[in-house]
Amino acid sequence: MSFSRRLKEAVAQDEEARLVYVNNFEVERSWAVGEPKLPGAGVSFTGTTVNRMEEMGVLLAEAGDVVILKAPLDPGYRDYLDGLGAAPADILVADDSDPARTVTDDALASPRLLAELRSLADGRTRLMPMGVSRAEEELSRATGLPLAGPGADLAKHVNGKIFSRELIDSVGLRPVPGGVARTVGDLSVLLDRHMADGGRAVVKESLGVSGRGMVVLKDRTAAARLLRLIERRGASATADLVVESWVERAQDLNYQFLVTRTGEVRFETVKAAVLRDGVHQGHSFPVRLSDTVAGELRDAAEVIGQALHKEGYFGMVGVDAMLAPGDVLYPCLEINARFNMSTYQSRIAERYVPDGTHAVAATIHLRLRRQHGFEEVAHALGDLLRMETGRPGVLINNFATLNAAAPADGGEFHGRLYAVCVGADAEEALRLRSVADDRLRRMAEAG
């Protein structure tokens, strides 16, 4: 059974159901409104590039499904995906799109699109967001399409890092040394405990996302500074933070599994973060783990999945874990009870990463002077661009983010491309990633 059918069976108990993908990346930004923040975490952040990550859903959906986009696919990118047979689903585009809005908010502001979605309500069609916030609940009401998962309140609850920490402490899985700070006093005690021997500590907001909403404290001076900043909010201010010891030389892992409506837990995949000279290169798969560690991960997935089901959750779950030296596994740093990046690579892995090969899912960051069409990207990558299954190369799985941040009046901007680099082994996949990065940087520098 394909990933798509496994997902549909889990969330709809019908592997032939039709899903309407609403890929509202960084839904945590909605969940975090009004929640306690770390000092400095409220810095203005532009979501224009993040909002165009919704295009990743095109390579996840199957024939018969629907993907909502903020804007049409670049014609060259559309032809490329058609050549791969990678985009069989129907695409609906918002008729009122604002770069600063999520795809869900664009849909809600689009009368034509709402009418098209209402016409899909046949009893077997469900909205499939990346994660459910109030906006996705509103879209469900406006279209008559039921959500393929629990509502916003439960989604926010089970996605908090505090929930993850307390769950792990309660079920007996190995925790990273740490705890939950509900008050400034709790925070002071935890920092003192975990930095007593000169170690570092990590402090996290419960609903931070993508590396924001967390701080690594290198010494007691940094800890004292953070405490002073939080204390300025007043004695009655809540902290609601997670504090954990820094684990040296650990490998970051992410694994995902499905929790069905009936409570069955189905392990899907595990990926590992790749660093080269201290620089993040992407996520690598498949991952070689000892039988013991692999078994621990599956056991942890079962325990966490059952706990989530008791809370009322069903659907996709991604969990961040760490593997410390000596194969010491910390099976849960945080739970993402929603789609994650691994989810969007699931269909790609099934179709374009054959057994016996290796892949690195990478983000390539570029400094651009102007917008570039996909044909320029294809020309820059040349023979590296993967156009057939089984051949080593690079598959572009999101193009819209390249130009999303381009200013209307011209000028330099940051763009990024998402790619899956496939080689005979891990080293070849990383080499392809490096070559792709070099060729695209030369394209950007040429202007």
Side-chain angles (χ1 to χ4, degrees):
M1 188 188 297
S2 69
F3 172 77
S4 177
R5 288 176 175 267
R6 295 195 299 274
L7 175 64
K8 292 173 182 180
E9 202 282 327
V11 300
Q13 295 182 299
D14 178 4
E15 64 184 59
E16 300 291 339
R18 176 168 55 188
L19 297 181
V20 178
Y21 288 92
V22 186
N23 303 295
N24 54 325
F25 274 79
E26 294 201 353
V27 61
E28 287 91 343
R29 286 185 286 167
S30 298
W31 293 332
V33 172
E35 296 295 322
K37 302 286 193 300
L38 283 164
V43 174
S44 176
F45 169 72
T46 174
T48 54
T49 300
V50 169
N51 290 337
R52 286 316 323 266
M53 290 173 70
E54 105 286 7
E55 193 177 77
M56 284 190 179
V58 173
L59 283 92
L60 176 62
E62 290 279 9
D65 293 329
V66 176
V67 183
I68 301 176
L69 294 183
K70 289 173 64 66
L73 294 171
D74 173 277
Y77 187 50
R78 169 88 258 186
D79 290 344
Y80 165 70
L81 294 180
D82 287 345
L84 285 171
D90 295 326
I91 294 175
L92 298 180
V93 179
D95 40 303
D96 186 355
S97 184
D98 181 334
R101 287 195 307 230
T102 67
V103 64
T104 308
D105 289 334
D106 273 356
L108 287 167
S110 300
R112 175 190 52 77
L113 175 58
L114 289 174
E116 289 180 298
L117 292 172
R118 281 192 286 269
S119 73
L120 300 177
D122 58 2
R124 298 187 71 183
T125 301
R126 295 175 180 269
L127 287 179
M128 184 74 258
M130 180 183 188
V132 179
S133 71
R134 297 292 184 207
E136 288 68 49
E137 289 183 328
E138 184 179 349
L139 184 61
S140 176
R141 290 190 294 269
T143 60
L145 296 174
L147 291 166
D153 287 340
L154 179 61
K156 175 179 176 178
H157 171 62
V158 299
N159 276 280
K161 294 178 180 63
I162 288 177
F163 173 84
S164 299
R165 179 74 209 193
E166 292 179 339
L167 186 153
I168 293 308
D169 287 342
S170 69
V171 298
L173 294 174
R174 181 186 293 116
V176 175
V180 174
R182 293 289 186 181
T183 67
V184 178
D186 293 341
L187 180 60
S188 178
V189 170
L190 284 168
L191 289 176
D192 186 64
R193 179 187 306 158
H194 294 286
M195 304 183 78
D197 298 321
R200 291 186 284 176
V202 184
V203 183
K204 307 174 185 177
E205 294 174 3
S206 188
L207 289 163
V209 58
S210 298
R212 295 184 298 279
M214 65 174 286
V215 61
V216 179
L217 302 175
K218 297 182 178 180
D219 52 40
R220 286 179 175 273
T221 301
R225 186 183 308 117
L226 178 65
L227 282 168
R228 284 196 303 272
L229 290 171
I230 295 176
E231 286 169 349
R232 289 176 185 172
R233 298 173 179 172
S236 62
T238 58
D240 288 342
L241 301 167
V242 173
V243 179
E244 293 176 340
S245 295
W246 181 266
V247 179
E248 298 288 350
R249 302 186 308 281
Q251 181 181 34
D252 292 326
L253 303 174
N254 176 273
Y255 59 102
Q256 61 174 356
F257 53 90
L258 282 164
V259 179
T260 72
R261 283 179 176 264
T262 56
E264 185 180 351
V265 179
R266 299 174 181 172
F267 195 90
E268 285 288 329
T269 188
V270 58
K271 293 181 170 68
V274 181
L275 296 176
R276 177 167 281 179
D277 298 326
V279 178
H280 182 74
Q281 299 293 308
H283 284 84
S284 175
F285 62 96
V287 182
R288 292 181 180 176
L289 299 171
S290 68
D291 290 344
T292 299
V293 171
E296 285 186 68
L297 280 179
R298 289 180 175 273
D299 291 344
E302 183 69 29
V303 170
I304 295 168
Q306 291 296 335
L308 287 170
H309 188 257
K310 287 180 182 178
E311 295 283 340
Y313 181 82
F314 57 92
M316 200 76 233
V317 182
V319 180
D320 291 338
M322 281 194 308
L323 186 61
D327 268 2
V328 178
L329 178 69
Y330 297 99
C332 181
L333 302 182
E334 66 176 88
I335 298 166
N336 295 306
R338 53 163 176 78
F339 284 8
N340 60 18
M341 292 295 281
S342 287
T343 312
Y344 289 97
Q345 296 149 13
S346 296
R347 185 166 170 271
I348 294 171
E350 287 181 341
R351 294 172 58 89
Y352 305 106
V353 186
D355 289 345
T357 64
H358 201 96
V360 172
T363 308
I364 297 175
H365 297 269
L366 298 168
R367 184 71 176 175
L368 302 171
R369 301 174 189 172
R370 62 171 177 84
Q371 296 191 43
H372 292 262
F374 185 79
E375 290 180 356
E376 293 179 89
V377 170
H379 178 74
L381 291 174
D383 60 352
L384 208 62
L385 193 64
R386 186 181 174 89
M387 289 295 293
E388 58 192 54
T389 302
R391 182 177 68 81
V394 176
L395 187 156
I396 303 298
N397 62 316
N398 186 302
F399 174 74
T401 50
L402 182 67
N403 299 310
D409 56 354
E412 290 191 350
F413 63 96
H414 289 285
R416 62 190 191 220
L417 280 172
Y418 290 86
V420 179
C421 307
V422 184
D425 53 32
E427 281 305 309
E428 183 180 31
L430 279 171
R431 182 187 64 79
L432 291 171
R433 187 222 184 282
S434 179
V435 174
D437 189 285
D438 181 63
R439 292 184 183 182
L440 291 167
R441 287 185 186 281
R442 278 187 276 153
M443 176 197 78
E445 289 167 1

